[in-house]
Amino acid sequence: MEDLGTPVLDNHLHLDPANGRGIDAVRDFRRLGGTHLLVVNKPSWHLGVEAEAGEDFRAVFEETLSVVADADAELPGRAWPVLGVHPGLITRLTDERGFSPGEARDLMRAGLDAAAEYVREGDALALKSGRPHYEVSDAVWDASNDVLKHALSLGAELDCAVQLHTEATDDLTEVAEWADERGLDPENVVKHYAGGTLAGPTPSVMSEKDRLRTAAEEGAPFLMETDFVDDPDRPGAVMGPKTVPRRVRWLLEEGEDDAVENAHVETPRRVYGVDTRETLSR
Ligand SMILES: [Zn+2]
């Protein structure tokens, strides 16, 4: 069991104990020195849930809560759930299930309302939303932005962070303004799958050396993630669960202790209000 002498948080990954590696992936993460995880629910349709109403998303959320409880028991730190509606759902609804963009928007907002209930009850740490990273019609784009704005409103109401899946960009100042207008500090908005630098929200940087080097040089608040999807059909699609602890070890070898403290202690505290050091070795 590796001890890197610091909390090590993967800010965004998925676990699928039914079809993927599940808790084995958590054990790999831990063995290399990982301590804390933010586990995001898989897209609803990947779990065979074709939601008709907001409450239907609960089946997806309950699966995440269950695997997070198991992960939590495996780790020297904590595992926390992040719940929401994947922005790609809008395409599935409009292209394959006959929804208008407005109907899809309403269903996705209702799904976020269901996710928000878990945050309100203290069973989830943050919400997840966003907009497509691929080309869509204006109507679908506008509907997606309405969904995203609804997530920001819920984040403001619940005083919780909102993780976003968006197009690849290093400038989301417009989204930061939307958050601000709704009373949510843009710092509590997190762009997942980010590069090393981002204007607006807090970047959750994909753990490639180039991106991390940029983030370390920048010195601004950032998080680290793998977006491990735990999908046996897409083994090479993303980074494995060992990547964040490996990159932390590398950063420490490079003398980037401040960057490690930033991504694994300070930024988690600012964004989510969690204390990764205090919750270590309970
Ligand atoms: Zn993801």
Side-chain angles (χ1 to χ4, degrees), residues 53-245:
E55 293 300 303
D56 295 343
F57 288 92
R58 283 184 178 269
V60 178
F61 302 150
E62 294 290 339
E63 273 196 53
T64 306
L65 296 192
S66 155
V67 71
V68 166
D70 292 344
D72 195 66
E74 286 289 330
L75 293 169
R78 297 285 317 269
W80 291 287
V82 177
L83 303 180
V85 177
H86 194 282
L89 178 60
I90 198 160
T91 300
R92 187 166 177 87
L93 293 173
T94 54
D95 290 8
E96 292 173 44
R97 291 183 53 203
F99 281 63
S100 71
E103 289 165 344
R105 174 199 64 210
D106 292 348
L107 175 59
M108 292 169 74
R109 288 202 291 211
L112 284 167
D113 289 339
E117 287 304 313
Y118 291 87
V119 176
R120 189 172 282 122
E121 298 295 317
D123 294 327
L125 184 65
L127 294 172
K128 160 81 196 299
S129 182
R131 60 190 182 192
H133 61 271
Y134 45 87
E135 203 71 30
V136 292
S137 70
D138 287 348
V140 166
W141 184 249
D142 292 345
S144 296
N145 278 323
D146 286 346
V147 173
L148 193 166
K149 288 171 185 169
H150 185 62
L152 298 175
S153 295
L154 289 169
E157 186 190 323
L158 296 163
D159 194 21
C160 77
V162 180
Q163 283 198 13
L164 296 180
H165 169 112
T166 73
E167 73 280 12
T169 177
D170 59 6
D171 187 353
L172 283 178
T173 45
E174 188 189 33
V175 171
E177 280 162 23
W178 294 344
D180 216 20
E181 285 164 17
R182 286 162 180 78
L184 180 65
D185 189 333
E187 187 173 63
N188 299 122
V189 180
V190 176
K191 175 179 167 32
H192 116 83
Y193 216 101
T197 171
L198 178 69
T202 300
S204 179
V205 179
M206 279 294 277
S207 296
E208 292 162 359
K209 287 184 176 179
D210 285 354
R211 296 188 192 210
L212 294 174
R213 212 175 262 125
T214 303
E217 276 166 21
E218 190 87 356
F222 76 103
L223 297 152
M224 285 170 62
E225 68 164 72
T226 54
D227 196 21
F228 174 61
V229 291
D230 203 11
D231 184 340
D233 296 332
R234 299 167 62 210
V238 283
M239 293 174 177
K242 298 175 184 169
T243 312
V244 168

